[in-house]
């Protein structure tokens, strides 16, 4: 049975261009974040609490907001009010950038998926650090963990990627409960090359020196398109550098499940990613002691339970939230 969001709100949002609908939703939540009454209304959606402690942080429930929905961190109080157990903003880059040309988000309702080729459009680390500083001083900073996902600026050569990540880490680290390194988006040319062992080792060694000084857990977000041997190499480097968690996964470039007439260039998310993500989580848990955070194809309690049974410690929502709305959080928690 469809919930109220699916029956009334989603048809209105889906009548708009996908990126316009996204901007409209974020703007509403940004406004709500500034008013106590609006936040109290949003708390109607909060699921039952079931706390979990992981890498030194306490999560009121294991369901997080995936990076990408709130790239610029403008609606953090609203996401917490809705009931997310943790919130990951970003991806943030050192330099502000507009992203790729529009259109760059495409809905696939029949497949319950999305394709995006946004390209890390965001306000940049300086502006977002200032926004977070203002939020902290306002007294509206949420009681749930806030992660900040950082990535490489498009204009930065791959050889200078480490300095680019360090710039964002140093600016944003004070505001983050954890930092997630996005090395796997398919929409920034060359970014996935950072998953190669030598490049990843260089990046993690530099970040680890900063993280050790600030005591910030560092997570790595990986591609669902890694082979088993590539995954093993990534895990080995992550273990050597005391990575606190692996986020599995980013979007996929495997569009084999999408009819050619509806296909677009970009990263595919949603239900078509479910199996790939679950398989990768299971592989991570079988090959490493690093905790896995599952993201990909979580649309209901059953698909969430599948991730936990595969060994995930936490889960994150993006496309499932777009299709199912805030009632999805309660639906998942009531079955855990």
């Amino acid at each position: 049975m469809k919930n109220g969001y699916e029956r009334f709100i989603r048809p209105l949002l889906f009548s708009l261009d996908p990126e316009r609908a996204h901007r409209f939703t974020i703007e509403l939540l940004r406004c709500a974040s500034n008013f106590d009454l609006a936040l109290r209304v949003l708390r109607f959606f909060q699921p039952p609490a079931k706390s979990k402690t992981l890498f030194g942080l306490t999560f009121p429930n294991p369901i997080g907001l995936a990076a990408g929905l709130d790239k610029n961190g403008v609606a953090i109080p609203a996401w917490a009010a809705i009931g997310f157990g943790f919130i990951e903003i970003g991806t943030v880059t050192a330099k502000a950038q507009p992203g790729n040309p529009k259109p760059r988000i495409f809905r696939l309702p029949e497949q319950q998926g999305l394709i995006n080729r946004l390209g890390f459009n965001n306000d940049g680390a300086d502006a977002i650090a200032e926004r977070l500083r203002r939020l902290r001083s306002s007294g509206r900073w949420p009681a749930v963990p806030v992660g900040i996902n950082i990535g490489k600026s498009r204009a930065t050569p791959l050889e200078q990627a480490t300095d680019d990540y360090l710039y964002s880490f140093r600016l944003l680290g004070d505001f983050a409960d954890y930092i997630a390194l996005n090395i796997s988006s398919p929409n920034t040319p060359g970014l996935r090359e950072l998953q190669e062992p030598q490049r990843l080792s260089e990046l993690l060694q530099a970040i680890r020196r900063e993280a050790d000084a600030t005591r910030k857990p560092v997570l790595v977000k990986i591609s669902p398109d890694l082979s088993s041997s590539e995954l093993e190499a990534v895990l080995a480097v992550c273990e050597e550098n005391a990575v606190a968690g692996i986020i599995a996964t980013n979007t996929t470039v495997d569009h084999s499940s999408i009819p050619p007439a509806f296909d677009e260039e970009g990263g595919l998310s949603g239900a078509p990613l479910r199996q790939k993500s679950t398989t990768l989580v299971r592989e991570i848990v079988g090959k490493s002691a690093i905790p896995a955070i599952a993201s990909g194809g979580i649309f209901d309690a059953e698909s969430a339970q599948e991730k936990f049974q595969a060994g995930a410690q936490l889960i994150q929502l993006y496309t499932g939230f777009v299709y199912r709305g805030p009632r999805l959080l309660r639906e998942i928690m009531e079955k855990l």
Side-chain angles (χ1 to χ4, degrees):
M1 182 181 296
K2 290 183 177 180
N3 61 41
Y5 168 88
E6 292 172 284
R7 285 181 293 180
F8 305 114
I9 306 300
R10 191 177 75 187
L12 294 175
L13 291 175
F14 278 31
S15 70
L16 302 174
D17 165 81
E19 189 162 356
R20 183 174 296 178
H22 181 241
R23 287 200 309 269
F24 175 73
T25 303
I26 292 296
E27 181 61 21
L28 285 180
L29 292 173
R30 184 194 68 79
C31 292
S33 293
N34 295 309
F35 295 98
D36 291 339
L37 178 59
L39 293 175
R40 284 199 294 270
V41 170
L42 289 177
R43 290 190 185 103
F44 168 80
F45 296 106
Q46 284 199 355
K50 188 175 182 180
S51 66
K52 184 176 186 65
T53 300
L54 192 66
F55 38 83
L57 301 175
T58 299
F59 301 84
N61 69 63
I63 307 172
L65 179 78
L69 266 170
D70 192 352
K71 291 177 180 291
N72 293 308
V74 301
I76 293 173
W79 299 119
I82 286 170
F84 282 100
F86 61 108
I87 300 154
E88 189 172 312
I89 68 166
T91 296
V92 182
T93 54
K95 303 169 185 175
Q97 52 188 40
N100 292 322
K102 300 175 183 178
R104 52 192 183 178
I105 308 178
F106 307 90
R107 299 188 190 100
L108 302 165
E110 291 296 319
Q111 292 77 28
Q112 291 190 303
L114 293 173
I115 295 173
N116 93 80
R117 51 173 183 256
L118 287 162
F120 290 169
N121 54 311
N122 74 104
D123 294 339
D126 290 89
I128 293 171
E130 179 56 33
R131 179 173 298 125
L132 298 179
R133 190 173 291 111
R134 291 197 304 268
L135 176 61
R136 180 173 283 174
S137 65
S138 74
R140 295 184 185 276
W141 193 272
V144 305
V146 174
I148 302 180
N149 183 300
I150 60 176
K152 185 186 79 68
S153 305
R154 186 184 184 97
T156 300
L158 203 60
E159 294 71 25
Q160 298 170 22
T162 295
D163 290 337
D164 201 72
Y165 280 87
L166 284 172
Y167 183 87
S168 298
F169 187 100
R170 289 165 180 161
L171 269 178
L172 299 166
D174 285 346
F175 303 102
D177 291 296
Y178 70 84
I179 292 284
L181 305 179
N182 189 341
I183 57 170
S184 53
S185 169
N187 299 317
T188 294
L191 186 75
R192 287 188 168 188
E193 292 181 36
L194 292 174
Q195 295 177 122
E196 296 172 359
Q198 185 173 345
R199 292 187 188 277
L200 180 57
S201 182
E202 177 188 337
L203 173 61
L204 287 179
Q205 286 175 22
I207 290 290
R208 184 181 179 184
R209 288 192 287 271
E210 302 289 328
D212 286 348
T214 58
R215 299 182 182 274
K216 298 293 180 181
V218 173
L219 282 61
V220 172
K221 187 166 187 174
I222 63 173
S223 162
D225 304 314
L226 292 171
S227 67
S228 290
S229 60
E230 288 171 333
L231 176 62
E232 286 182 9
V234 166
L235 291 175
V237 175
C238 288
E239 287 174 345
E240 289 168 6
N241 289 279
V243 165
I246 303 287
I247 301 174
T249 63
N250 215 312
T251 56
T252 180
V253 295
D254 176 5
H255 293 197
S256 57
S257 61
I258 305 304
F262 300 105
D263 201 9
E264 291 283 349
E265 182 182 352
L268 173 64
S269 64
L273 183 56
R274 174 177 170 175
Q275 185 176 349
K276 265 181 174 281
S277 170
T278 302
T279 298
L280 209 64
V281 168
R282 192 174 291 115
E283 280 195 72
I284 292 166
V285 173
K287 295 175 177 177
S288 172
I290 301 175
I293 295 87
S295 180
I298 302 169
F299 271 72
D300 51 26
E302 179 189 357
S303 51
Q305 191 64 41
E306 176 183 284
K307 297 293 195 264
F308 290 120
Q309 289 171 348
Q313 299 293 316
L314 303 169
I315 61 174
Q316 291 183 320
L317 305 181
Y318 186 131
T319 305
F321 186 80
V322 170
Y323 277 87
R324 300 290 318 285
R327 184 65 179 79
L328 176 58
L329 280 75
R330 182 176 291 273
E331 179 182 324
I332 292 171
M333 289 305 301
E334 286 176 347
K335 295 293 178 67
L336 286 185

